[in-house]
């Protein structure tokens, strides 16, 4: 087994995980209300951040699959490194996502209210709900691994 990186302190960890999870959910929920940065000229097309988000998310997906393969092959050090890289990139994604939504004007769905529009809304709303719900699970899963509580980590990771 790998050496734990963090000292176990469930009380502080739980509080921090819930504070971070709620803060991010509230921040993202209010992104469309903040308009004072829209149109700010930064010297580049702010929609490039959307491309960066797609590249980051694609990279995280590859890292997660690779990390799953690594852990199934009992390569725990590689698994740990890949998962830490995925967490760092996911944090970078969140910063880029928030930046894009603060700086870019609102994007509306292009078509009339047809079946595709409602399909889009369904996918968008379920994505937002699931992303909000999964964040504390991700953080608790990482915490359990970093404190060396591998049985609890494994149990949570199956769902996360």
């Amino acid at each position: 087994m790998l050496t734990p990186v963090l000292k176990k302190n469930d009380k502080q960890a739980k509080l921090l995980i819930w504070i971070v999870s709620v803060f991010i959910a509230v921040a993202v929920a209010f992104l469309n209300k903040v308009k004072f940065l829209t149109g700010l000229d930064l010297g580049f097309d702010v929609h490039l951040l959307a491309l960066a988000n797609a590249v980051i998310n694609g990279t995280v997906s590859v890292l997660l699959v690779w990390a799953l393969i690594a852990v199934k092959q009992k390569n725990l050090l590689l698994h740990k490194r890949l998962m830490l890289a995925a967490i760092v990139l996911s944090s970078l994604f969140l910063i880029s996502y928030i930046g894009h939504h603060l700086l870019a004007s609102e994007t509306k769905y292009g078509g009339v209210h047809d079946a595709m529009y409602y399909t889009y809304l369904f996918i968008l709303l379920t994505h937002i709900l699931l992303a909000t719900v999964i964040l504390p699970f991700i953080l608790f899963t990482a915490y359990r691994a970093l404190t060396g509580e591998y049985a609890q980590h494994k149990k949570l990771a199956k769902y996360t």
Side-chain angles (χ1 to χ4, degrees):
M1 284 290 143
L2 298 172
T3 308
V5 177
L6 295 177
K7 195 178 216 180
K8 183 179 174 183
N9 187 339
D10 283 351
K11 223 176 213 181
Q12 276 188 329
K14 284 179 185 178
L15 180 63
L16 183 61
I17 287 169
W18 285 114
I19 287 172
V20 167
S21 297
V22 169
F23 175 80
I24 290 172
V26 169
V28 170
F30 284 101
L31 279 179
N32 64 344
K33 306 288 185 238
V34 180
K35 298 292 181 206
F36 66 90
L37 295 176
T38 302
L40 187 66
D41 184 18
L42 297 177
F44 68 93
D45 182 5
V46 294
H47 293 291
L48 287 174
L49 291 173
L51 174 62
N53 292 341
V55 170
I56 292 168
N57 267 344
T59 304
V60 168
S61 297
V62 170
L63 291 174
L64 292 174
V65 170
W66 190 4
L68 178 62
I69 293 167
V71 78
K72 287 191 179 283
Q73 294 175 343
K74 307 285 189 236
N75 190 341
L76 301 179
L77 184 58
L78 178 60
H79 172 75
K80 176 183 175 180
R81 289 177 177 163
L82 292 168
M83 293 307 294
L84 288 174
I87 288 173
V88 168
L89 283 177
S90 292
S91 300
L92 183 62
F93 162 81
L94 182 62
I95 292 165
S96 178
Y97 176 86
I98 289 172
H100 178 251
H101 284 279
L102 286 175
L103 298 168
S105 56
E106 189 175 355
T107 304
K108 299 277 186 186
Y109 181 80
V112 287
H113 292 240
D114 58 6
M116 286 307 297
Y117 173 77
Y118 294 107
T119 303
Y120 164 77
L121 278 183
F122 175 76
I123 292 169
L124 178 64
L125 293 174
T126 55
H127 167 75
I128 291 168
L129 178 65
L130 291 172
T132 302
V133 169
I134 198 68
L135 181 58
F137 283 96
I138 293 167
L139 297 175
F140 277 113
T141 302
Y143 170 72
R144 294 294 176 212
L146 293 171
T147 57
E149 299 172 273
Y150 300 114
Q152 295 94 327
H153 167 75
K154 185 177 178 180
K155 186 176 179 181
L156 267 174
K158 285 182 181 182
Y159 298 102
T160 307

